[in-house]
Every structure is written in structure tokens, then in C-alpha cells.
Amino acid sequence: MNRSQLIIYGSIAVLLVYMTGATAFAGDAAVSEPAVAITEKVISSTVGGAVSNAGTITEMDTIRVDPSYYYTMLQPGTSENFTVTVTNKEDVAVTLHPRLVVTPYTYSYMDESWVTITPSEKALEAGEKAQFEVKVSIPEDAKVGNYAATLAFMENVPEGDILYQGFPGTVQLNVDVWIPPQVQILTTYIYDRVEAGKVYNYEIVLKNTGDSEIAIDPKLVENMYYPMVADVSSVAVDAAASMPYYGGYGQAFGTDAITISGPSSIKPGETAVVNVKLEVPDDAQGDFSGNIDLNIDDPGIREYEGMVSLNFHVAVQPEKPYEIPFKVNGNGTVTIELRSYIYDMYVSSSSRDPYFEVKLINPQGKEVEAVQEALQYGGMVTLGSISYPVFKTSGNNPEYQSNSQNYVETYTVQASAGQWILSVMPHNTESFEYSINIEPSR
């Protein structure tokens, strides 16, 4: 049994499964359709309302196309060439008719005039290879965006079904049309741990590297995952699309807690600052998620690229400490390490280091003083090629990016045998790790 027969028989099996499911679903109203014979010459057939392109897929699978996927970035008015190698896998000759097929359901549609394939027709003997030159030319007036299309090398192509990379006998072509942006966004997000009743100030830094003045108009916009309301019950059914997919959690506070101010334009070579002021309400709790649309009048910046993400977590100080029981088998030295992490935080003027209140309860129920032996600061810094901008903070250098920080407190106590309790009250942190090392006396 050859490859073509396997594909045909597999397609028949899929159709039979579909017919069985359709009949069961329709119940007494289902009407059996007559069986349809499928051969290698059939392009499509209909059974129970389903359209099968088994014949076309079989035909397309008679050739191998390399590459099956090609991606490029081009500016308007430029072009690029690449080569596609096609191999005839069958034991008979085939004729190739390469053409561009517009991929459905894409955001931007590529025009057929953008792509030229040479030669336009080619006969391949059994096992023979041929090369096709593909030229992609972007018009001067092309809009910035990502364009997708399919290069099909056989005549019969199920246009509506070419939705994925690797379809037999085709090349998936993706072209990212772009122009160099004038404005650099040096603050792409703001994330901070805040407290109820306090005020915080942040800066979004922009730099105009071009030769013309660029207008901006920053606005607070609704996050696609969170409704901009404090009370979820007041959200209309029509707004369900803006609700989080994992549930209907409301915001920690309303948009009126955030004030945005700054210039309306950036002159060539200048750096501008958009100020963001957050006044956290006294009764705030939970998280706030949103975006600031900078509305930069720069054709090189796509809409989503002009967004600055906002995420704030309203911290709540625990009322009681966390208790960890541990057992000491014999007299010895107990070393306790408490570690806290901070990831990608916007360093605000009000940020404070985490710290811990530590108590130890001995087997007799009495409090024993634990001596702090060490305090350690640590972190991870990236240098060289940085894939995203850095914050404008004191001591920061654009050649470096601090990705995470950690804070470690180390305590020791001379412990007797028995059951002990470590009591930890954390401050200025959302999580911490602990380790307890027991070293017996010698």
C-alpha cells in the first residue's frame, strides 16, 4: 500500500466517524446519506454536510517543498528574494503551477502583486527536483503590520483549509512590514507593591530619536482581562468580553486613583517624561491591572507597542506571624535562613526593603532570642544585548538590566533537644522562603 492509498483510507475513516457522530446528534431526524466513493482523482466530496479535501491533500502530498515556512521583515519600498526547492516524490511526472493563496482570518491581507514566483509553471519527472525563485516586493504605501499568505505549488488548492504551517505542497509566508520608530519607549511597564492610603509617583520615559516633532496623548485604558470597576456585580452582561477568563475579579480601586500628566509632544532629540500619580484609597485591597495608551503619533509604532502595562498589588500586612515547628534531636546549633525575592519591580521613592520579626519558642514554651548573624543582598544583572528597555532609576545604566533582587536574613541559636517553634512575621514582602539547619554539638 503506497502513501496515497494510506491517506485516502484515512480520510474515509474520518468521514465515517463524522457520519456516525452526525447521526447520533440528530437523533430521529437524521437521514442517512448514500456512501460516496473517493478516489485519487476526487477533489472534494460531501457527506452529511462535511466537505472533505482528501483528494486535494493526496495530490498536494505528492511533492516535498523546502522550506515549508518563511518569515521576513521588510520596510515599504523594499524587496527580498528567497529560493524554494520542490521535489517530486511520486513515480510519475507532475506539473507545478505555483501561486499565492491569501490565508483567511489574518489581520492584514497580502496583495497577490507583492509576490512573484519564477518559473510560473514547471514539469517535474519522477524524483526530480526544481528550484523556484520567490520575490517579495513591498509597495511604498504599504501599512505597517504582519501579513500572511500561502505559496501553493499544485493547481488544486483547498483555499479555505490552508490555515496552518506545514500543509503539504505549500510554503507558509509571513512578512512583517515595519518602519523604524522615531520614539523610544524606555518604560514599558509599571509594577509595584503599594499600600492603602499612600501616594506613589512613577515616570514613563520617552526619547525622540528622529528629526521631527512627535505628538503624544497618554490615556488610561481598560485592560482586556479586567473590568475597570471596583464592584464586579455592576458589570453589564454585554461587558462579559472584558472580564477575566478565570473569573470575575474586580479591581482594587477605580481609575480615578490614577492621574497622568506630561507634554503633548516630543521635539527631535529630546527626552520626555509622562508622570503617573497613584493615590491608593484607604479601603483598597487586591490588585489593579490596566494600561496607559501613549497615543504616539509615530507610524513606526503599532498600537499595542504604544501601551504601558500597569499592575499594582495592594499589600496587606498579616495580623499573626507564620509558625514553623521543628524538632531538635540533640543539643546543637540551629541556623535559620529567611529569604525574600522581588522581581521586576518599579523602584519607587517609597519602596522599602523587606524584613522579618523572628521569635523562637523552646520545648518548655519559653521565648528564646535568635541572634541575627548576617544580612545579605543579592540579585541578577543582565548586560550586553538587552531585549527590552530599562527603567530610569538612580544608578541605572542602559548597558545593564537588573532582573531580580533577593534579601536574606540569617539567625543562629543554641538549642536543646525537643520540639521548637520558629515564629516569623514578614514585612514589605509577598512571599518568603525559609531553611532550618540543625548541627549537633560535638
Side-chain angles (χ1 to χ4, degrees):
M1 184 180 295
N2 61 30
R3 182 183 180 90
S4 298
Q5 288 174 319
L6 285 172
I7 294 176
I8 293 297
Y9 293 149
S11 300
I12 294 173
V14 172
L15 291 173
L16 289 175
V17 171
Y18 181 90
M19 292 172 62
T20 303
T23 302
F25 180 82
D28 296 336
V31 178
S32 299
E33 296 286 345
V36 178
I38 300 178
T39 68
E40 295 187 15
K41 300 298 183 181
V42 176
I43 300 303
S44 66
S45 58
T46 302
V47 179
V51 177
S52 169
N53 286 302
T56 302
I57 296 175
T58 301
E59 178 187 353
M60 301 289 286
D61 206 30
T62 61
I63 61 174
R64 180 171 62 250
V65 176
D66 183 36
S68 61
Y69 176 79
Y70 190 83
Y71 170 82
T72 185
M73 294 180 65
L74 292 172
Q75 297 184 40
T78 64
S79 63
E80 182 175 315
N81 292 57
F82 67 96
T83 301
V84 177
T85 302
V86 181
T87 305
N88 181 5
K89 300 191 296 181
E90 293 297 294
D91 53 6
V92 295
V94 297
T95 301
L96 305 181
H97 302 275
R99 64 190 179 96
L100 181 142
V101 179
V102 176
T103 306
Y105 313 118
T106 57
Y107 184 77
S108 301
Y109 291 94
M110 189 183 305
D111 192 277
E112 293 183 9
S113 63
W114 291 16
V115 177
T116 304
I117 307 174
T118 307
S120 59
E121 182 178 330
K122 177 72 174 180
L124 281 184
E125 298 298 328
E128 186 182 1
K129 292 183 179 180
Q131 290 188 333
F132 292 80
E133 293 299 320
V134 180
K135 182 177 182 179
V136 182
S137 303
I138 309 301
E140 291 279 358
D141 59 351
K143 295 182 178 180
V144 171
N146 188 273
Y147 297 80
T150 300
L151 306 182
F153 287 81
M154 300 294 282
E155 185 172 3
N156 298 307
V157 181
E159 299 186 15
D161 288 349
I162 300 182
L163 298 174
Y164 57 92
Q165 177 184 342
F167 194 95
T170 66
V171 177
Q172 179 64 45
L173 175 63
N174 280 83
V175 180
D176 193 358
V177 178
W178 72 288
I179 60 175
Q182 285 190 212
V183 176
Q184 293 181 350
I185 304 173
L186 302 181
T187 310
T188 56
Y189 66 92
I190 297 173
Y191 168 66
D192 203 2
R193 181 180 182 273
V194 298
E195 296 181 34
K198 294 190 176 182
V199 178
Y200 299 83
N201 293 285
Y202 308 93
E203 292 182 349
I204 299 173
V205 184
L206 308 174
K207 184 176 182 180
N208 186 349
T209 61
D211 54 7
S212 61
E213 188 171 359
I214 299 294
I216 63 172
D217 185 21
K219 301 289 184 183
L220 186 63
V221 297
E222 184 173 357
N223 188 289
M224 62 181 296
Y225 297 115
Y226 286 86
M228 285 279 190
V229 293
D231 182 9
V232 177
S233 62
S234 64
V235 179
V237 175
D238 293 340
S242 66
M243 298 290 285
Y245 71 92
Y246 48 81
Y249 301 107
Q251 299 280 47
F253 43 81
T255 58
D256 55 350
I258 299 175
T259 304
I260 303 171
S261 61
S264 59
S265 65
I266 314 173
K267 293 181 180 180
E270 287 191 352
T271 297
V273 174
V274 175
N275 296 293
V276 180
K277 182 179 181 180
L278 170 61
E279 299 178 78
V280 187
D282 293 332
D283 59 349
Q285 57 181 343
D287 296 273
F288 177 92
S289 178
N291 293 284
I292 294 178
D293 187 348
L294 295 172
N295 289 307
I296 303 174
D297 189 18
D298 184 344
I301 297 178
R302 308 179 199 199
E303 183 178 356
Y304 67 88
E305 294 173 333
M307 294 282 186
V308 175
S309 175
L310 300 180
N311 288 279
F312 300 109
H313 176 71
V314 182
V316 178
Q317 177 61 34
E319 295 181 359
K320 296 181 179 180
Y322 184 76
E323 295 186 344
I324 306 145
F326 64 95
K327 185 178 181 180
V328 178
N329 291 325
N331 296 341
T333 302
V334 174
T335 303
I336 299 164
E337 185 178 276
L338 301 174
R339 180 184 300 268
S340 179
Y341 295 92
I342 300 176
Y343 295 99
D344 295 331
M345 297 286 284
Y346 185 103
V347 183
S348 62
S349 58
S350 58
S351 61
R352 294 179 293 174
D353 288 338
Y355 69 93
F356 305 96
E357 293 181 52
V358 177
K359 296 180 181 179
L360 281 166
I361 310 301
N362 67 14
Q364 290 73 42
K366 295 182 179 180
E367 183 176 323
V368 177
E369 181 182 2
V371 179
Q372 187 180 99
E373 296 288 348
L375 175 61
Q376 175 185 325
Y377 290 90
M380 184 178 72
V381 177
T382 300
L383 64 157
S385 177
I386 297 177
S387 59
Y388 49 92
V390 298
F391 293 136
K392 181 186 178 184
T393 57
S394 58
N396 226 343
N397 187 304
E399 295 178 347
Y400 300 94
Q401 173 67 48
S402 176
N403 298 309
S404 65
Q405 299 175 346
N406 60 75
Y407 172 94
V408 184
E409 291 183 1
T410 303
Y411 296 83
T412 62
V413 66
Q414 297 302 314
S416 58
Q419 190 73 24
W420 287 69
I421 295 177
L422 169 63
S423 172
V424 180
M425 174 64 83
H427 294 271
N428 303 330
T429 183
E430 293 302 309
S431 64
F432 68 92
E433 296 177 1
Y434 67 89
S435 66
I436 302 173
N437 181 62
I438 304 171
E439 185 177 350
S441 299
R442 295 180 181 180

